[in-house]
Amino acid sequence: MNPAEKADKVEEFLKELLYFFKSLDHLPEMNNIDEIMGVGSHLVLGADIVDEAIRNIDELMSANQ
């Protein structure tokens, strides 16, 4: 993968992270168990997204050295 392709992939991962973090502004107030479970699921999914993005960015940056 050439540097331009790596940069594009990093940008893609950063866009996914931005989308997730922006979604946190629109979470419900968690007034009942269903809303709490929904928010919890969203945060678990978000943790997976963050973890995967960081791992992939790290791999791309390490391969660039």
Side-chain angles (χ1 to χ4, degrees):
M1 187 179 298
N2 69 43
E5 291 172 329
K6 288 180 184 178
D8 288 343
K9 286 299 262 182
V10 168
E11 183 177 3
E12 180 182 321
F13 294 131
L14 292 174
K15 284 180 181 178
E16 286 181 31
L17 289 173
L18 180 62
Y19 178 78
F20 167 70
F21 287 119
K22 282 185 174 183
S23 74
L24 296 177
D25 289 338
H26 305 290
L27 293 176
E29 292 185 23
M30 297 187 287
N31 294 319
N32 61 49
I33 191 68
D34 290 333
E35 290 174 345
I36 292 169
M37 290 175 63
V39 168
S41 296
H42 183 77
L43 294 175
V44 168
L45 176 63
D48 288 343
I49 291 169
V50 170
D51 181 56
E52 181 180 347
I54 290 171
R55 188 177 310 115
N56 288 328
I57 290 169
D58 186 50
E59 286 175 13
L60 289 169
M61 298 306 285
S62 294
N64 198 29
Q65 295 178 359

